[in-house]
Amino acid sequence: MPVSPAPTTTVSRAPASNTSVAIVGPVCCQSEVMSATLGGCSGPGNGLDSRGARVQPRAEGHRAAIGIAPHDRKGVAGASRGEDAGGRSEGARRGRGRRTRRPGREDHMASIRSIGTAVPAARLRQSEVRDFFASQPGVDRLTARLIAAAFDGSAIETRYSAIGALGPGGGLFTDEAGLLRSPSTGERNDRYRSEAPALSASAARAALARSGFSPGDITHVITASCTGCFAPGPDVLLVKQLGIPGTAERLHVGFMGCAAAFPALRTAAGLCVAQPGSVALVVCTELCSLHIRSSRDPEQIVASAVFGDGAAAAIVASGDAPDPRAGGTGAHRFRSLEVDGFTTALTADGEADMDWTIGDRGFEMRLTAEVPRIVGREIAGVVDGMLDGADPAGIAAWAVHPGGRSVLDRVQQALALPDAAMAQSRGVLRDYGNMSSATILFILERMLREGSLAAGEQVAGLCFGPGLTVETVLLRCAGEGSADPSPDSETAPVAEDRA
């Protein structure tokens, strides 16, 4: 008889004309950088610069510099929803809701036993990509200013790309002179189909090696992606590439944007609780750079400065599944993350500020400067529900999806978190950019690899996606020693460097 995953808890609440070029990434939340970029200023909403140092706040009047009238959506729509003095909507104040809790018996809990990551071979320096976009035809002085401000204020140093280095040489995306081509959506998706499987398999192999499980132990395969699609899909290819039994149950989570990792993990955890002895492989793979395209929209300039490519995989197992690294005794010898619970919150507005559609020349994104403001206004209420009213200061570590620097700033300000709590999230943004759904797993992998968590300490995870949706998870560190027999191992580039 089919068994459904554990139930999910939902907390419901209720343009310039300059030509530019952009890498269009999947829907996420970095657009406050755009708000600053429009006036050529830096500094996020909470008075932190790109390195986290305090700066004096800037007024919003800079938006009028290019004819965009400043406005406060909260003052218009928020009043009718009955926001409190802190700016939280009525739904955020009242709807803490029930979170999906861990069962009382330890052998019925699910845990993340290991995480593996992979990136393409081409490593792009932010300054070089900035100069590439600034050199394209149709970029006038104002557009060049916007490009420089978006890239230099992104708090990103490097990203990785499946389409190779950008510049002269010719290929699907650039010509011999280094000018950007405009491939069709079909051509871009063909590249996804050729590049994504190897990246997915590399991350999955890393996760398996760290967990001690073999491919034959896997009972469920769950994949997530929003930057390409094909069938038979990546779930089928993983079974064949890795030698996973053909009887493993499979599921693909598609087009849920940057927040997709947590619904995938939630599904895996629910299956592992419902079916004791289960071992699930979760793989999130995103090739955002495939949707590079020319654009007349300043929002796309910001997108070009933020998105990167990568894959991450997690092994999720039920509590009664033995730890192979402990000699099959069942003891959790190495670090793992026990699942305490998940929540989902849908904010009252934001649907029109974040969407991700399929166009004729790649996937197209709409992302406005309202997104970080909405996140900052709603996140305290969402976290209050996730923690059942407990003080966020009691959480040892925070894994926050870095949709962009300003999203991290808004979350840190709203929750009054110390800089140390955001260190891994900002570090992944700096080193990899925003890799959509894979990014949050990169952050959790870094926490485990660095050994910064003590047994019993809790980790809170926050992701943001279309809707506007906030997905959360509460995890608890378990086990002794390192999460990885080779704790110094880092993400290894895979695949060929190609343009």
Side-chain angles (χ1 to χ4, degrees):
M1 181 175 64
V3 180
S4 299
T8 302
T9 302
T10 301
V11 181
S12 250
R13 308 181 227 290
S17 61
N18 306 90
T19 301
S20 182
V21 179
I23 294 177
V24 182
V27 173
C28 75
C29 318
Q30 89 288 352
S31 53
E32 180 70 8
V33 181
M34 184 190 71
S35 181
T37 300
L38 293 177
C41 72
S42 62
N46 72 335
L48 297 175
D49 66 14
S50 62
R51 294 179 176 83
R54 295 285 174 184
V55 297
Q56 292 298 317
R58 299 287 297 268
E60 282 198 337
H62 64 271
R63 290 175 60 97
I66 59 171
I68 298 180
H71 68 281
D72 185 351
R73 179 173 300 185
K74 175 166 68 78
V76 178
S80 63
R81 295 194 308 273
E83 292 179 348
D84 63 15
R88 290 186 296 166
S89 68
E90 181 179 357
R93 285 185 284 114
R94 125 185 128 221
R96 294 196 338 209
R98 295 174 304 133
R99 62 184 172 89
T100 306
R101 301 176 182 278
R102 74 183 203 179
R105 288 179 54 191
E106 182 177 344
D107 61 351
H108 282 185
M109 293 189 308
S111 63
I112 300 173
R113 300 291 183 89
S114 66
I115 300 174
T117 58
V119 292
R123 184 171 182 259
L124 308 181
R125 296 189 179 277
Q126 189 76 330
S127 59
E128 295 172 352
V129 182
R130 176 200 62 205
D131 295 344
F132 169 79
F133 285 111
S135 69
Q136 297 300 302
V139 174
D140 58 18
R141 182 177 300 178
L142 175 58
T143 305
R145 260 186 66 210
L146 299 180
I147 292 172
F151 278 80
D152 295 344
S154 66
I156 297 171
E157 295 180 3
T158 55
R159 290 175 284 167
Y160 292 82
S161 170
I163 66 174
L166 298 172
L172 179 62
F173 290 90
T174 57
D175 62 18
E176 293 291 342
L179 300 181
L180 191 68
R181 297 185 188 274
S182 182
S184 68
T185 301
E187 291 173 316
R188 297 170 195 264
N189 198 63
D190 286 344
R191 178 63 65 87
Y192 177 89
R193 187 165 189 167
S194 66
E195 301 290 342
L199 205 63
S200 300
S202 179
R205 289 189 181 101
L208 281 166
R210 292 175 176 180
S211 72
F213 288 108
S214 69
D217 296 321
I218 300 299
T219 60
H220 300 79
V221 176
I222 301 172
T223 56
S225 184
C226 67
T227 50
C229 55
F230 59 90
D235 53 319
V236 173
L237 293 185
L238 282 168
V239 168
K240 293 183 175 181
Q241 289 172 312
L242 302 181
I244 294 171
T247 55
E249 299 175 12
R250 306 185 315 275
L251 175 70
H252 181 69
V253 179
F255 233 65
M256 288 193 73
C258 296
F262 284 176
L265 289 174
R266 183 175 62 224
T267 302
L271 288 166
C272 287
V273 170
Q275 302 177 20
S278 295
V279 180
L281 170 65
V282 177
V283 182
C284 300
T285 302
E286 304 289 7
L287 304 184
C288 309
S289 67
L290 296 183
H291 301 289
I292 186 173
R293 64 183 178 90
S294 61
S295 172
R296 298 172 61 88
D297 190 343
E299 295 175 9
Q300 304 304 334
I301 298 175
V302 179
S304 72
V306 174
F307 291 104
D309 300 347
I315 300 297
V316 181
S318 58
D320 60 348
D323 188 341
R325 300 167 297 185
T329 63
H332 293 180
R333 177 181 173 188
F334 295 95
R335 283 282 185 264
S336 60
L337 296 172
E338 294 177 349
V339 176
D340 270 354
F342 296 87
T343 69
T344 296
L346 189 63
T347 62
D349 56 3
E351 183 177 353
D353 296 293
M354 180 189 294
D355 60 41
W356 183 230
T357 57
I358 299 176
D360 294 334
R361 296 289 170 181
F363 294 178
E364 300 174 359
M365 178 182 63
R366 174 170 173 77
L367 191 63
T368 78
E370 292 300 319
V371 173
R373 298 186 185 118
I374 295 169
V375 170
R377 190 168 69 235
E378 302 282 354
I379 196 63
V382 173
V383 168
D384 189 50
M386 175 180 68
L387 300 181
D388 287 338
D391 188 350
I395 300 298
W398 291 80
V400 183
H401 172 68
R405 185 200 67 192
S406 59
V407 170
L408 297 180
D409 294 335
R410 293 277 180 158
V411 171
Q412 183 173 359
Q413 179 186 34
L415 301 179
L417 300 177
D419 291 345
M422 305 292 289
Q424 287 90 353
S425 299
R426 293 188 188 277
V428 168
L429 177 66
R430 178 192 65 234
D431 297 339
Y432 299 99
N434 181 347
M435 299 168 286
S436 188
S437 67
T439 317
I440 197 71
L441 291 178
F442 272 70
I443 298 170
L444 293 174
E445 186 273 342
R446 180 168 289 197
M447 288 179 176
L448 289 172
R449 176 163 46 85
E450 291 179 349
S452 57
L453 297 171
E457 288 186 327
Q458 286 185 304
V459 179
L462 308 174
C463 282
F464 316 102
L468 197 155
T469 301
V470 184
E471 298 281 356
T472 80
V473 67
L474 192 60
L475 304 167
R476 187 180 303 272
C477 185
E480 300 175 355
S482 168
D484 186 348
S486 304
D488 294 329
S489 61
E490 297 182 358
T491 301
V494 299
E496 294 296 323
D497 182 355
R498 52 190 292 189

